[in-house]
Amino acid sequence: MQKLVIAEKPSVAKSIAAVIGANQRHDGYFTGGGYTVSWCLGHLAEISDASAYNEDYAKWRREDLPIIPPSFRFTVAQDKQKQFDVLRELLCSPETSEVINACDAGREGELIFRTVYELSGCAKPMKRLWISSMEDAEIRKGFQNLRPGGDYDGLNQSALCRAQADWLVGINATRYFSLLYGRTLNIGRVMSPTLAMLVQREAEIAAFVPELFYTVQLDCGFIAATERMRNKPDAESVLAACGNTALVRAIERKEKTENAPALYDLTTLQREANRTLGYSAQQTLDYLQALYEKKLCTYPRTDSRYLTDDMEPSVLEYVAAAAAICGMDAPTKIFADQVCDSTKVSDHHAIIPTVSAGNADLSALPMGERKILKLTARGLLRAVSDAYRYAETTITLDCSGHSFTAKGRTVLALGWKNYDPKKKEKDNSIPELTEGRTIPVSNAAVKEGNTTPPKHHTEDTILSSMETAGAKEAPEDAERKGIGTPATRAAVLEKLISSGFVERWRTKKTTTLIPSTLGKALITVLPEVLQSPLLTAEWEHRLREIERGELTPEVFMEGIAAMLRELIQTYEPVPDAGVLFPSKLEVIGKCPRCGRNVVEKKQGFFCDDWNCGFALWKNSKFFSAKKKQLTKAVAEALLKDRKAKLTGCWSEKTGKTYDATVLLNDNGRQVSFSLEFAG
């Protein structure tokens, strides 16, 4: 009898097989040591397209919406069918005694495995391998501590609800608004609220009106300045009154401490990599995944910034590896306790380099992977370091009856900032002074400034907004997970860009995310329910409740379905929205029903007002029965004169060809054709 291990990817399966002794290679799996090890290829099966539930759903029609299947089906991707067949045979084999789920230890990994398990009709005992590193020792430890598969039923239900909710919103909202506004508008449960935040930021920038302000600055060997003044004459009046000396009226010195930041989770690492390296969120995730599979980094798709308490004795080893990666000395004193807290770890601990990474040949790594590994290593060195301490001095001067303020900072101990990837703090100290002392003023001047608008979103800032969306409105005891998950946010941003809703604008210093004209138009017409970050954050919170068994999947899914039904029943189209979505398609004539333009698309010739419904289908049975095509020239003639000449029509009865004139007939609801012959 064999235990069947199913991993998410071939590379992971190969690593696991090597550790547990399954060294014999077969077509699609390994065997040996009492194990069979095979793999999925990511999602082998996805929720079936709408047409799988009803053939009529192959066409986009408003009367079919909302499409809410009574139960969901899955379809195996054609290019993955062979591997699915391998897995199904192994799962159903009488030689297989139990199945071990070794897919990535997270929501999506659970769904990938369960879908294959259930589609295969397997009912054999199931165990779960749950590891946070691909190091050999971690794999062995994981196999010694396999968990019952049923412990993750809630995680599977959460993943399934996420997939079904995304399908329902995507299919129904995309079809509905595309039909209403005459062009394909991809709408997503997380994608649309993210786009709304980008559009909102641009609206704030566009509405911003800069305001001039003025300050008077004194040069006393350091710069002291007044508060901002709106009127230049007021500033000039202060300047005119200034003498050559100033009185030190007050000195306030405070020592301040900044504790080391926590370790990286995926989102904070993506944000840091975007700020300091210019990498997109997707690039960072791809580099991390590659490092994970090479046993150089722990599991990337985590939302935790701490290690578990039982890892505290190993922190010194991890720190030594991180120091070797960075080519730096480890901190003289390591505070392991400040990075270990099991109460703050959910599915996986924070991202850190593995112990074996300290001995790796970093020069053999691609540059992107090398930089991300070093950034992760610095994050660990920083997190176990002492606090950054400094003294902040505020001096208040009096010059001719006017108040001036200067601030200085003296670094007392760099602490964790020794490992900060950003530029280290500069000493900006102010000379030692005493209250009541008079000091010389070498120069005084009026300085003009402008208030500045909000900044365009970068991937760093939009990831932060996605992570905290809805936090202010949420109850104090609610989990504040924002919209999307660490594992999916990068893909959401890439989808917005590939769909044409957002553009990356690159400059020498930074890359910003700017909503396109199409993206702004979409948010203009979308109702609040589809663009509200707060609502989507609430859905994410409920998915976590499903995972913990606090909410049933049925209640969650009915809420999604009810929202879609209400949307389609009550939404009022935005008047004259044609100006928001101008068609780029070629106009071939005027619609006989409403007088709007008729444009050519892949399937036929359509009125560009989908509310009208007029269509001339290229695959019309009337023309194909005569072995003729409804060409653009024929369609143009039909729209202009309501008739068009056809030559060489084939007769099914006689097997001969003939010439005739085809007539366009339209009763306002349906188009039909008839033939007219020369007398």
Side-chain angles (χ1 to χ4, degrees), residues 452-614:
T452 56
K455 294 184 181 297
H456 299 290
H457 268 304
T458 62
E459 295 204 27
D460 164 25
T461 59
I462 194 63
L463 284 170
S464 176
S465 295
M466 293 172 76
E467 188 176 36
T468 59
K472 292 181 180 179
E473 297 84 356
E476 283 298 319
D477 59 347
E479 278 188 298
R480 295 177 177 177
K481 295 297 181 183
I483 60 175
T485 66
T488 60
R489 288 174 188 140
V492 168
L493 296 180
E494 294 302 321
K495 183 68 181 293
L496 282 169
I497 292 165
S498 65
S499 297
F501 296 135
V502 174
E503 298 168 354
R504 282 192 175 102
W505 285 15
R506 291 180 171 87
T507 64
K508 289 183 178 180
K509 291 186 176 180
T510 188
T511 299
T512 54
L513 297 177
I514 308 296
S516 65
T517 301
L518 178 61
K520 294 175 183 176
L522 176 59
I523 294 304
T524 300
V525 301
L526 276 189
E528 180 68 15
V529 70
L530 289 178
Q531 60 172 290
S532 167
L534 177 60
L535 178 64
T536 308
E538 172 64 22
W539 288 347
E540 293 290 345
H541 175 64
R542 292 191 174 191
L543 287 171
R544 294 298 296 238
E545 290 183 323
I546 292 171
E547 183 180 332
R548 296 192 298 264
E550 299 167 2
L551 181 71
T552 66
E554 292 76 16
V555 169
F556 175 78
M557 293 307 301
E558 181 50 43
I560 299 288
M563 180 271 293
L564 289 168
R565 291 189 191 99
E566 182 179 4
L567 169 71
I568 289 169
Q569 290 171 2
T570 62
Y571 176 78
E572 293 290 336
V574 174
D576 301 318
V579 297
L580 295 173
F581 304 103
S583 175
K584 296 180 180 178
L585 301 172
E586 181 182 359
V587 176
I588 66 161
K590 294 295 183 181
C591 176
R593 291 185 193 171
C594 69
R596 298 276 301 262
N597 291 330
V598 173
V599 296
E600 181 179 12
K601 297 185 179 180
K602 185 177 180 180
Q603 299 90 350
F605 309 92
F606 305 94
C607 178
D608 64 6
D609 181 0
W610 280 86
N611 293 298
C612 171
F614 177 81

Side-chain angles (χ1 to χ4, degrees), residues 50-112:
S51 59
Y53 305 98
N54 187 327
E55 290 183 1
D56 291 342
Y57 294 162
K59 292 183 179 180
W60 291 23
R61 300 183 304 186
R62 284 177 61 184
E63 55 265 31
D64 291 330
L65 302 177
I67 298 171
I68 302 175
S71 61
F72 284 88
R73 305 174 191 172
F74 282 81
T75 299
V76 177
Q78 191 171 0
D79 61 338
K80 299 179 179 179
Q81 184 68 49
K82 180 181 177 182
Q83 187 60 23
F84 174 78
D85 291 340
V86 169
L87 285 170
R88 180 169 54 187
E89 185 174 342
L90 293 171
L91 283 162
C92 298
S93 170
E95 294 299 312
T96 299
S97 59
E98 73 175 26
V99 186
I100 299 171
N101 174 9
C103 290
D104 283 0
R107 185 192 282 177
E108 289 309 299
E110 195 68 25
L111 182 61
I112 286 169

